[in-house]
Amino acid sequence: MAQESPKNSAAAEIPVTSNGQLEESHEHSYNRDLKRSLSVGLGLAETKITSHGFDSTNEGVVEAGPFPCSSASPKSSVISPSSAAASRLAGQGCDLIVPTGSRAQQKSGPVVLADEVKNPAMEKLELVRKWSLNTYKCTRQIISEKLGRGSRTVDLELEAQIDILRDNKKKYENVLKLAQTLSTQLFQMVHTQRQLGDAFADLSLKSLELHEEFGYNADTQKLLAKNGETLLGAINFFIASVNTLVNKTIEDTLLTVKQYESARIEYDAYRTDLEELNLGPRDANTLPKIEQSQQLFQVHKEKYDKMRNDVSIKLKFLEENKVKVLHNQLVLFHNAIAAYFAGNQKQLEQTLKQFHIKLKTPGADAPSWLEEQ
């Protein structure tokens, strides 16, 4: 049968040995049958292809059965698995050998596709680099403005309001300092009048011939001390309100002004950089720099506009609050001083009631709320 022509036989037979070896003359038939068997449904999990040396007796042997997993690299040629084969290998816990440059990690078990882990040190280094670059640009802008070489953005109306606010703050601080001095001196005077009244009262009891004279002076000094304590209450209330206005309300607005000025310097620094790049040549190297500079300029422009709007709003509310607070406090200060020096005790007490000011009980030995001022 081996000598019969293929044209006369219905199917060509493949002579094999007892161990399944193929004859070299029918190698092309073996390859055709192998492709056909693979297309029918043999996968990597059911087939093992072994390729040994040329002198081996088991050359080209195809064995059916489960594909054994091994941690060692096989000596046979590496076949890149398809997606279906990779899934089946992962299900059996086999190691998957992937080409260099692949994002899959070589590990036992399922194939894991992980993104690159960000390095915290590199992130911190990038933040330091951005901060250094921004500081350099702002410092250069400040020096250029002081030397008269650089241009700066100026909002004339807003700048005028800021200058007036700073000037008023200095004047209010001076008024506050003088009011505190007056309060200290008045407290000393009231304390002296109280001691003098006690001395007159003691002498009134011990000097029978001058009993009435010492008694009149004792009553007068005690009345003056009482009115002085009432006036001190009004002055200290005035000082507390003005102190809140100057050192809290105005100071908070000036802090926003400082942030606005810093945003203005950054805006001008990046604006200057963009103008310099636009004046230079436009080629493949400079166009990305111009685009990046344009983006940074836009970011700082939005920040500058926001801070300018915040300052305008705070200045408006500060002006309204300042007028309201100072109006009430100035009326209090005037009425209290006028009633005290006019000797109108009733009017002086009415003034404190009008502004809801509570005093300590007259005659107390240690008015701690006065000593703390």
Side-chain angles (χ1 to χ4, degrees), residues 55-121:
D55 55 349
S56 175
T57 59
N58 295 328
E59 181 181 0
V61 177
V62 180
E63 298 179 1
F67 189 86
C69 299
S70 175
S71 60
S73 300
K75 297 181 180 180
S76 59
S77 302
V78 176
I79 302 176
S80 300
S82 64
S83 59
S87 301
R88 301 174 71 174
L89 285 175
Q92 295 182 5
C94 299
D95 294 339
L96 178 62
I97 302 176
V98 295
T100 304
S102 175
R103 296 175 62 185
Q105 298 178 353
Q106 182 176 353
K107 56 180 290 187
S108 177
V111 179
V112 178
L113 298 177
D115 295 333
E116 297 181 358
V117 180
K118 295 182 179 180
N119 191 350

Side-chain angles (χ1 to χ4, degrees), residues 263 266-268 270-271 294-308:
E266 291 180 350
Y267 165 72
D268 283 337
Y270 285 92
R271 175 183 56 81
Q294 178 67 35
Q295 294 176 356
L296 293 174
F297 166 76
Q298 188 64 30
V299 169
H300 288 86
K301 183 179 184 300
E302 292 176 358
K303 180 181 178 182
Y304 166 73
D305 293 337
K306 179 181 179 300
M307 293 306 304
R308 180 175 59 181

